[in-house]
């Protein structure tokens, strides 16, 4: 175990990178999920079809492949655009941090789309009608009535999506992001202790996942506080 | 920028050659994982904490860590121990194929056990009580009532797990294997045409996903045939 100690600083840095990517991806996941759910519920045929295609493709393609398409694909496109503007350009890419966050958010966003869609459908119609009867505008109805109630219903499943986001960050060493998996790879070649190195990575992920589980349980309790009976 | 359709047509046969390996990895680890999961689920629901706790910890650890880390621990990690290197199993444990199978199996076992536990605990108590009052033994209640109903209840989640394992097999490409993703990555490193090649590979996975979904639909219809009007 002592072989790990000199690497702990690097691991800590890698852990900060993981948390950063996961946070950015979380925000984007919520955006894609809300957009996708809105499109599916809109009744608009074209929007619905696009959202259906999105969820089918991103839930049926390996995460690794999505990541590679986004990272290398965007590099090809950006380099091509760059060359049109300035022929001396060699290579342009999106930094792995951002490409990774976007890729992970698109994948998990497809699952979140279905979760949010179901949760919106779970909000009683009467609530929306009551809001309209009280004279709330449709955007007020959305933000004050539908969204908070949808969120309560979506949270347990969304907690699993958050865990997926964190676990998917392990793939990002493939595109050269210096997260904990990357540190372990380097540590392995320098110390010849692969098991120890990857066990440390596993412990980090278990810690992250445990924190999410605890946080979601607390949040659930808070969101359901109106359902607790008075003593 | 161009989208080279000819290159897709030219590479497709190579990518399809990877399908055999992808399907093998998927089916072997799915079968082994499901068998082990039955045992693990039974341990998990055991009232004896000495049995249920280890099962709980196993499930927590394998569901709480990325599958890539599990693959790396089996493929790179085991070699750290002299005991493993000197064991008669070493020629097998050195093979990326078997390392992938072991890691995938351990992972599927954890997820499937949790699915089966949900199915078993979802069986209506009243049905078991009815069985008891009809004089069925505990064994008969389990095999004739619990198992068929638990299977029916578990199908949707098990279907999702099959798909998520299929996607997981792409990680085999990280340990030098030429599955669909592995072949695609090799072609891209040669041609640098990520869109054409990776999208073709993605279409292959989507087709395989579709096959699984059809199978799940069929199974659902079969197990729910008593509900049909």
């Amino acid at each position: 175990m002592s072989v790990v100690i000199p690497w702990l600083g690097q691991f800590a840095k890698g852990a900060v990178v993981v948390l950063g990517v996961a946070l950015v991806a979380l925000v984007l996941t919520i955006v894609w999920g809300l957009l996708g759910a809105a499109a599916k519920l809109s009744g608009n045929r074209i929007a619905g079809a696009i959202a259906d295609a999105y969820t089918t493709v991103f839930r049926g393609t390996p995460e690794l492949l999505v990541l590679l398409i986004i990272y290398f694909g965007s590099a090809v496109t950006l380099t091509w655009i760059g060359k049109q503007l300035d022929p001396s350009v060699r290579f342009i890419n999106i930094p792995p941090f951002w490409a990774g966050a976007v890729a992970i958010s698109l994948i998990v966003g497809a699952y979140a789309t279905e979760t949010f869609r179901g949760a919106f459908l779970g909000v009683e119609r009467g609530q929306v009608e009551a809001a309209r009867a009280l004279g709330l505008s449709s955007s007020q109805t959305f933000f004050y009535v539908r969204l908070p109630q949808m969120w309560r219903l979506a949270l347990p499943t969304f907690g699993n999506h958050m865990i997926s986001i964190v676990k998917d960050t392990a793939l990002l060493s493939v595109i050269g992001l210096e997260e904990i998996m990357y540190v372990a790879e380097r540590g392995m070649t320098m110390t010849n202790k692969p098991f120890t190195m990857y066990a440390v990575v596993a412990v980090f992920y278990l810690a992250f996942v445990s924190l999410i589980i605890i946080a979601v349980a607390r949040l659930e309790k808070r969101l359901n506080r109106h359902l607790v009976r008075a003593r | 920028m161009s989208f080279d359709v000819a290159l897709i047509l030219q590479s497709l046969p190579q990518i399809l050659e990877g399908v055999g390996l992808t399907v093998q990895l998927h089916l072997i680890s799915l079968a082994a994982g499901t068998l082990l999961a039955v045992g693990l689920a039974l341990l998990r629901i055991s009232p004896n904490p000495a049995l249920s706790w280890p099962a709980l910890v196993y499930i927590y650890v394998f569901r709480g860590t990325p599958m890539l880390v599990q693959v790396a621990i089996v493929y790179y990690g085991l070699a750290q121990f002299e005991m493993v290197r000197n064991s008669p199993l070493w020629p097998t444990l050195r093979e990326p194929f078997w390392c992938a199978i072991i890691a995938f199996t351990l992972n599927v076992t954890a997820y499937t056990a949790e699915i089966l536990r949900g199915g078993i605990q979802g069986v209506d108590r009243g049905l078991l009580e009815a069985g008891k009052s009809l004089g069925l033994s505990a064994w008969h209640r389990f095999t004739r009532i619990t198992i068929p109903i638990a299977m029916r209840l578990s199908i949707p989640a098990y279907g999702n797990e099959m798909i998520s394992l299929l996607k997981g097999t792409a990680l085999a490409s990280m340990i030098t294997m030429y599955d669909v993703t592995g072949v695609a990555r090799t072609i891209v490193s040669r041609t640098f045409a990520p869109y054409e090649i990776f999208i073709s590979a993605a279409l292959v996975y989507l087709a395989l996903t579709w096959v699984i979904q059809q199978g799940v639909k069929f199974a659902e219809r079969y197990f729910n045939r008593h509900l049909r009007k």
Side-chain angles (χ1 to χ4, degrees):
Chain A
M1 242 4 242
S2 58
V3 69
V4 175
I5 291 165
W7 289 86
L8 281 181
Q10 300 251 27
F11 273 120
K13 269 189 205 159
V16 172
V17 174
V18 166
L19 290 180
V21 178
L23 218 57
V24 174
L26 174 65
V27 172
L28 291 175
T29 297
I30 295 175
V31 172
W32 308 140
L34 285 177
L35 285 177
K40 286 201 175 195
L41 293 171
S42 67
N44 180 318
R45 266 217 195 141
I46 299 168
I50 293 173
D52 280 343
Y54 166 59
T55 51
T56 308
V57 168
F58 281 87
R59 294 195 303 169
T61 310
E63 295 82 353
L64 178 59
L65 213 45
V66 173
L67 178 68
L68 294 173
I69 293 174
I70 303 250
Y71 181 67
F72 290 108
S74 65
V76 165
T77 306
L78 287 177
T79 305
W80 181 81
I81 295 172
K83 278 204 169 118
Q84 304 303 304
L85 301 173
D86 174 6
S88 66
V89 164
R90 285 270 172 75
F91 183 76
I92 310 176
N93 68 346
I94 298 182
F97 182 97
W98 295 100
V102 168
I104 292 174
S105 70
L106 283 172
I107 297 160
V108 185
Y111 291 91
T113 294
E114 297 297 348
T115 305
F116 290 164
R117 190 188 72 95
F120 272 122
L121 288 174
V123 177
E124 262 180 77
R125 268 208 67 77
Q127 294 279 336
V128 179
E129 283 162 9
R132 301 315 297 265
L134 287 170
L136 269 68
S137 70
S138 55
S139 72
Q140 281 173 324
T141 308
F142 182 81
F143 284 109
Y144 295 131
V145 179
R146 298 186 72 189
L147 198 59
Q149 299 197 61
M150 174 296 268
W151 179 233
R152 181 174 73 84
L153 296 175
L155 185 64
T157 319
F158 193 74
N160 289 335
H161 299 336
M162 291 201 253
I163 292 174
S164 300
I165 290 176
V166 167
K167 290 201 296 180
D168 283 346
T169 58
L171 295 172
L172 301 184
S173 59
V174 181
I175 58 171
L177 186 70
E178 303 191 3
E179 32 78 316
I180 41 182
M181 206 56 191
Y182 186 94
V183 175
E185 270 161 44
R186 238 186 11 217
M188 168 176 86
T189 49
M190 291 182 67
T191 64
N192 216 6
K193 291 274 183 277
F195 185 89
T196 316
M197 288 294 166
Y198 286 114
V200 172
V201 177
V203 169
F204 267 104
Y205 276 106
L206 268 183
F208 292 146
V209 169
S210 305
L211 283 179
I212 294 176
I213 292 174
I214 294 168
V216 169
R218 284 198 162 186
L219 212 57
E220 244 177 90
K221 214 167 156 190
R222 198 185 129 74
L223 291 175
N224 288 325
R225 64 194 183 280
H226 62 292
L227 298 175
V228 179
R229 288 211 212 142
R231 259 168 290 177
Chain B
M1 198 174 77
S2 59
F3 193 79
D4 192 348
V5 178
L7 181 63
I8 295 182
L9 295 176
Q10 199 191 324
S11 314
L12 209 55
Q14 285 177 59
I15 294 177
L16 287 177
E17 268 172 39
V19 171
L21 185 53
T22 294
V23 169
Q24 264 181 40
L25 289 169
H26 185 244
L27 291 181
I28 297 176
S29 34
L30 184 68
T34 306
L35 279 178
L36 291 172
V38 174
L40 189 64
L42 292 177
L43 291 180
R44 169 81 174 79
I45 57 176
S46 158
N48 182 350
L51 298 176
S52 66
W53 261 90
L56 194 74
V57 170
Y58 177 90
I59 293 171
Y60 193 73
V61 168
F62 279 87
R63 297 206 317 167
T65 50
M67 190 143 88
L68 180 59
V69 177
Q70 294 160 14
V71 171
I73 287 183
V74 175
Y75 183 65
Y76 298 111
L78 291 183
Q80 182 175 329
F81 304 104
E82 208 162 322
M83 210 177 68
V84 176
R85 273 177 293 161
N86 293 333
S87 84
L89 286 173
W90 181 235
T92 312
L93 289 174
R94 228 169 41 187
E95 291 282 331
F97 179 81
W98 291 108
C99 288
I101 294 276
I102 292 169
F104 297 161
T105 302
L106 293 174
N107 185 281
V108 181
T109 302
Y111 281 93
T112 309
E114 210 42 23
I115 293 169
L116 295 178
R117 179 192 66 86
I120 293 171
Q121 293 185 335
V123 175
D124 193 348
R125 281 200 66 79
L127 294 169
L128 294 171
E129 283 161 9
K132 203 168 184 178
S133 67
L134 286 170
L136 293 183
S137 66
W139 171 252
H140 273 147
R141 288 199 301 275
F142 186 71
T143 54
R144 305 284 165 89
I145 301 174
T146 306
I147 288 186
I149 296 175
M151 272 173 74
R152 176 164 65 83
L153 296 176
S154 307
I155 290 174
Y158 186 65
N160 288 338
E161 180 49 29
M162 284 198 271
I163 292 173
S164 118
L165 173 64
L166 174 70
K167 299 194 298 177
T169 60
L171 297 179
S173 71
M174 307 278 287
I175 53 171
T176 72
M177 297 194 68
Y178 293 100
D179 67 324
V180 174
T181 306
V183 173
R185 289 174 73 179
T186 327
I187 302 177
V188 169
S189 66
R190 208 175 54 222
T191 59
F192 213 72
Y195 284 122
E196 289 90 337
I197 305 302
F198 285 144
I199 289 175
S200 309
L203 289 175
V204 173
Y205 282 104
L206 285 174
L208 293 173
T209 304
W210 183 83
V211 172
I212 295 176
Q213 279 169 338
Q214 294 309 305
V216 171
K217 257 188 209 162
F218 181 82
E220 267 187 325
R221 247 199 328 257
Y222 178 79
F223 279 100
N224 286 321
R225 63 195 184 282
H226 61 289
L227 297 175
R228 230 177 292 154
K229 293 238 172 92

